[in-house]
Amino acid sequence: MAENAADRGTTSGGRPTARPDLAAMVVPLGRALMAAERPVLDAHGLSMWAYAVLLHLDEKPVRTQAALAEAIRADKTRIIAVLDDLEARELIHRQPDPEDRRVRLLSLTTEGRRLRDAAQAAIQEGEERLLDRLPAADRAGFLRSLHTLSGLPELTARKPGRGSRGA
């Protein structure tokens, strides 16, 4: 069977076949996923930033609020209100570091862990319906690729002078 130009990833003139830019493909998908998360988070009484905090914290305390803000790519001054709310709701602990009382150790409470797990399970249930549209091999490769790309150091490092979206 003859191979055509599209199968080789080229046009009939030999130029590479145009594909959409990655952002043109990923941004609408990201927006749709965030829109699908919104009612789940609302039902659990969480903002996107509060959910990001709960996802990042666990039994092992994060040593500073600034470290947490950097890890979730939030502005350290704007995250304080999110932390105040989560602490008031007894979803996180903020306690002085015994080695440096100016520093606050942050960790999840049992209720914070329960709420995080419930919200995450509901979100991932919706994601599973989307992923089910892919053949198993494509799905596994897609998830592996997203995990690899999202963990690249140049994507996870904070840019100097760059704030984040609102808390």
Side-chain angles (χ1 to χ4, degrees), residues 23-41:
M25 293 184 284
V26 173
V27 168
L29 176 61
R31 287 181 179 148
L33 291 170
M34 287 174 47
E37 283 183 10
R38 171 61 53 211
V40 172
L41 294 177

PDB file of all heavy atoms in Angstrom, residues 23-41:
ATOM      1  N   ALA A  23      -0.311  25.332  23.059  1.00  0.00           N
ATOM      2  CA  ALA A  23      -1.216  26.156  23.870  1.00  0.00           C
ATOM      3  C   ALA A  23      -2.611  26.182  23.261  1.00  0.00           C
ATOM      4  O   ALA A  23      -3.607  26.180  23.986  1.00  0.00           O
ATOM      5  CB  ALA A  23      -0.672  27.569  24.026  1.00  0.00           C
ATOM      6  N   ALA A  24      -2.684  26.195  21.935  1.00  0.00           N
ATOM      7  CA  ALA A  24      -3.989  26.213  21.274  1.00  0.00           C
ATOM      8  C   ALA A  24      -4.773  24.937  21.558  1.00  0.00           C
ATOM      9  O   ALA A  24      -6.006  24.939  21.537  1.00  0.00           O
ATOM     10  CB  ALA A  24      -3.822  26.406  19.763  1.00  0.00           C
ATOM     11  N   MET A  25      -4.063  23.860  21.854  1.00  0.00           N
ATOM     12  CA  MET A  25      -4.744  22.607  22.187  1.00  0.00           C
ATOM     13  C   MET A  25      -4.963  22.465  23.690  1.00  0.00           C
ATOM     14  O   MET A  25      -6.013  22.020  24.137  1.00  0.00           O
ATOM     15  CB  MET A  25      -3.934  21.409  21.670  1.00  0.00           C
ATOM     16  CG  MET A  25      -3.870  21.323  20.149  1.00  0.00           C
ATOM     17  SD  MET A  25      -3.014  19.844  19.568  1.00  0.00           S
ATOM     18  CE  MET A  25      -1.303  20.271  19.865  1.00  0.00           C
ATOM     19  N   VAL A  26      -3.975  22.851  24.485  1.00  0.00           N
ATOM     20  CA  VAL A  26      -4.019  22.605  25.921  1.00  0.00           C
ATOM     21  C   VAL A  26      -4.878  23.621  26.665  1.00  0.00           C
ATOM     22  O   VAL A  26      -5.606  23.255  27.598  1.00  0.00           O
ATOM     23  CB  VAL A  26      -2.586  22.551  26.500  1.00  0.00           C
ATOM     24  CG1 VAL A  26      -2.600  22.468  28.005  1.00  0.00           C
ATOM     25  CG2 VAL A  26      -1.833  21.369  25.913  1.00  0.00           C
ATOM     26  N   VAL A  27      -4.807  24.883  26.283  1.00  0.00           N
ATOM     27  CA  VAL A  27      -5.538  25.914  27.034  1.00  0.00           C
ATOM     28  C   VAL A  27      -7.046  25.661  27.017  1.00  0.00           C
ATOM     29  O   VAL A  27      -7.678  25.681  28.084  1.00  0.00           O
ATOM     30  CB  VAL A  27      -5.166  27.332  26.556  1.00  0.00           C
ATOM     31  CG1 VAL A  27      -6.109  28.376  27.117  1.00  0.00           C
ATOM     32  CG2 VAL A  27      -3.724  27.646  26.958  1.00  0.00           C
ATOM     33  N   PRO A  28      -7.668  25.398  25.863  1.00  0.00           N
ATOM     34  CA  PRO A  28      -9.111  25.113  25.914  1.00  0.00           C
ATOM     35  C   PRO A  28      -9.438  23.870  26.747  1.00  0.00           C
ATOM     36  O   PRO A  28     -10.436  23.849  27.465  1.00  0.00           O
ATOM     37  CB  PRO A  28      -9.503  24.902  24.447  1.00  0.00           C
ATOM     38  CG  PRO A  28      -8.439  25.607  23.669  1.00  0.00           C
ATOM     39  CD  PRO A  28      -7.183  25.477  24.484  1.00  0.00           C
ATOM     40  N   LEU A  29      -8.587  22.864  26.687  1.00  0.00           N
ATOM     41  CA  LEU A  29      -8.787  21.671  27.508  1.00  0.00           C
ATOM     42  C   LEU A  29      -8.679  22.030  28.984  1.00  0.00           C
ATOM     43  O   LEU A  29      -9.520  21.635  29.801  1.00  0.00           O
ATOM     44  CB  LEU A  29      -7.767  20.593  27.142  1.00  0.00           C
ATOM     45  CG  LEU A  29      -7.790  19.322  27.997  1.00  0.00           C
ATOM     46  CD1 LEU A  29      -9.146  18.625  27.900  1.00  0.00           C
ATOM     47  CD2 LEU A  29      -6.657  18.396  27.591  1.00  0.00           C
ATOM     48  N   GLY A  30      -7.662  22.814  29.349  1.00  0.00           N
ATOM     49  CA  GLY A  30      -7.497  23.238  30.738  1.00  0.00           C
ATOM     50  C   GLY A  30      -8.688  24.048  31.225  1.00  0.00           C
ATOM     51  O   GLY A  30      -9.169  23.843  32.348  1.00  0.00           O
ATOM     52  N   ARG A  31      -9.171  24.943  30.387  1.00  0.00           N
ATOM     53  CA  ARG A  31     -10.340  25.747  30.767  1.00  0.00           C
ATOM     54  C   ARG A  31     -11.569  24.868  30.971  1.00  0.00           C
ATOM     55  O   ARG A  31     -12.341  25.064  31.913  1.00  0.00           O
ATOM     56  CB  ARG A  31     -10.617  26.817  29.724  1.00  0.00           C
ATOM     57  CG  ARG A  31      -9.621  27.943  29.769  1.00  0.00           C
ATOM     58  CD  ARG A  31      -9.941  29.013  28.743  1.00  0.00           C
ATOM     59  NE  ARG A  31      -8.984  30.093  28.837  1.00  0.00           N
ATOM     60  CZ  ARG A  31      -8.579  30.820  27.826  1.00  0.00           C
ATOM     61  NH1 ARG A  31      -9.080  30.606  26.619  1.00  0.00           N
ATOM     62  NH2 ARG A  31      -7.702  31.782  27.989  1.00  0.00           N
ATOM     63  N   ALA A  32     -11.752  23.899  30.086  1.00  0.00           N
ATOM     64  CA  ALA A  32     -12.900  22.991  30.214  1.00  0.00           C
ATOM     65  C   ALA A  32     -12.784  22.144  31.482  1.00  0.00           C
ATOM     66  O   ALA A  32     -13.781  21.924  32.183  1.00  0.00           O
ATOM     67  CB  ALA A  32     -13.010  22.094  28.976  1.00  0.00           C
ATOM     68  N   LEU A  33     -11.575  21.686  31.794  1.00  0.00           N
ATOM     69  CA  LEU A  33     -11.380  20.894  33.006  1.00  0.00           C
ATOM     70  C   LEU A  33     -11.632  21.733  34.252  1.00  0.00           C
ATOM     71  O   LEU A  33     -12.260  21.266  35.204  1.00  0.00           O
ATOM     72  CB  LEU A  33      -9.972  20.294  33.031  1.00  0.00           C
ATOM     73  CG  LEU A  33      -9.702  19.200  31.994  1.00  0.00           C
ATOM     74  CD1 LEU A  33      -8.217  18.857  31.948  1.00  0.00           C
ATOM     75  CD2 LEU A  33     -10.547  17.971  32.259  1.00  0.00           C
ATOM     76  N   MET A  34     -11.159  22.978  34.249  1.00  0.00           N
ATOM     77  CA  MET A  34     -11.397  23.858  35.400  1.00  0.00           C
ATOM     78  C   MET A  34     -12.881  24.171  35.545  1.00  0.00           C
ATOM     79  O   MET A  34     -13.405  24.209  36.663  1.00  0.00           O
ATOM     80  CB  MET A  34     -10.570  25.140  35.267  1.00  0.00           C
ATOM     81  CG  MET A  34      -9.093  24.881  35.519  1.00  0.00           C
ATOM     82  SD  MET A  34      -7.985  26.293  35.232  1.00  0.00           S
ATOM     83  CE  MET A  34      -8.794  27.616  36.053  1.00  0.00           C
ATOM     84  N   ALA A  35     -13.569  24.365  34.419  1.00  0.00           N
ATOM     85  CA  ALA A  35     -15.013  24.617  34.485  1.00  0.00           C
ATOM     86  C   ALA A  35     -15.747  23.401  35.035  1.00  0.00           C
ATOM     87  O   ALA A  35     -16.723  23.535  35.787  1.00  0.00           O
ATOM     88  CB  ALA A  35     -15.544  24.987  33.094  1.00  0.00           C
ATOM     89  N   ALA A  36     -15.275  22.202  34.698  1.00  0.00           N
ATOM     90  CA  ALA A  36     -15.888  20.983  35.221  1.00  0.00           C
ATOM     91  C   ALA A  36     -15.598  20.812  36.712  1.00  0.00           C
ATOM     92  O   ALA A  36     -16.415  20.245  37.449  1.00  0.00           O
ATOM     93  CB  ALA A  36     -15.388  19.765  34.436  1.00  0.00           C
ATOM     94  N   GLU A  37     -14.439  21.312  37.165  1.00  0.00           N
ATOM     95  CA  GLU A  37     -14.087  21.224  38.586  1.00  0.00           C
ATOM     96  C   GLU A  37     -14.895  22.186  39.442  1.00  0.00           C
ATOM     97  O   GLU A  37     -15.167  21.907  40.599  1.00  0.00           O
ATOM     98  CB  GLU A  37     -12.596  21.547  38.799  1.00  0.00           C
ATOM     99  CG  GLU A  37     -11.661  20.446  38.420  1.00  0.00           C
ATOM    100  CD  GLU A  37     -10.207  20.790  38.729  1.00  0.00           C
ATOM    101  OE1 GLU A  37      -9.934  21.804  39.417  1.00  0.00           O
ATOM    102  OE2 GLU A  37      -9.340  20.032  38.280  1.00  0.00           O
ATOM    103  N   ARG A  38     -15.242  23.334  38.891  1.00  0.00           N
ATOM    104  CA  ARG A  38     -15.889  24.395  39.674  1.00  0.00           C
ATOM    105  C   ARG A  38     -17.106  23.890  40.453  1.00  0.00           C
ATOM    106  O   ARG A  38     -17.176  24.111  41.656  1.00  0.00           O
ATOM    107  CB  ARG A  38     -16.259  25.571  38.748  1.00  0.00           C
ATOM    108  CG  ARG A  38     -17.119  26.644  39.368  1.00  0.00           C
ATOM    109  CD  ARG A  38     -16.539  27.375  40.560  1.00  0.00           C
ATOM    110  NE  ARG A  38     -15.230  27.910  40.287  1.00  0.00           N
ATOM    111  CZ  ARG A  38     -14.280  28.041  41.218  1.00  0.00           C
ATOM    112  NH1 ARG A  38     -14.501  27.704  42.460  1.00  0.00           N
ATOM    113  NH2 ARG A  38     -13.107  28.528  40.908  1.00  0.00           N
ATOM    114  N   PRO A  39     -18.095  23.211  39.844  1.00  0.00           N
ATOM    115  CA  PRO A  39     -19.244  22.765  40.643  1.00  0.00           C
ATOM    116  C   PRO A  39     -18.871  21.735  41.709  1.00  0.00           C
ATOM    117  O   PRO A  39     -19.481  21.709  42.785  1.00  0.00           O
ATOM    118  CB  PRO A  39     -20.218  22.168  39.617  1.00  0.00           C
ATOM    119  CG  PRO A  39     -19.545  22.183  38.310  1.00  0.00           C
ATOM    120  CD  PRO A  39     -18.275  22.959  38.422  1.00  0.00           C
ATOM    121  N   VAL A  40     -17.869  20.918  41.445  1.00  0.00           N
ATOM    122  CA  VAL A  40     -17.417  19.937  42.437  1.00  0.00           C
ATOM    123  C   VAL A  40     -16.802  20.665  43.630  1.00  0.00           C
ATOM    124  O   VAL A  40     -17.123  20.370  44.787  1.00  0.00           O
ATOM    125  CB  VAL A  40     -16.400  18.947  41.817  1.00  0.00           C
ATOM    126  CG1 VAL A  40     -15.786  18.050  42.885  1.00  0.00           C
ATOM    127  CG2 VAL A  40     -17.047  18.127  40.711  1.00  0.00           C
ATOM    128  N   LEU A  41     -15.943  21.634  43.344  1.00  0.00           N
ATOM    129  CA  LEU A  41     -15.314  22.389  44.426  1.00  0.00           C
ATOM    130  C   LEU A  41     -16.349  23.196  45.194  1.00  0.00           C
ATOM    131  O   LEU A  41     -16.310  23.245  46.428  1.00  0.00           O
ATOM    132  CB  LEU A  41     -14.211  23.293  43.876  1.00  0.00           C
ATOM    133  CG  LEU A  41     -13.006  22.548  43.281  1.00  0.00           C
ATOM    134  CD1 LEU A  41     -12.007  23.541  42.710  1.00  0.00           C
ATOM    135  CD2 LEU A  41     -12.359  21.627  44.290  1.00  0.00           C
TER     136      LEU A  41
END
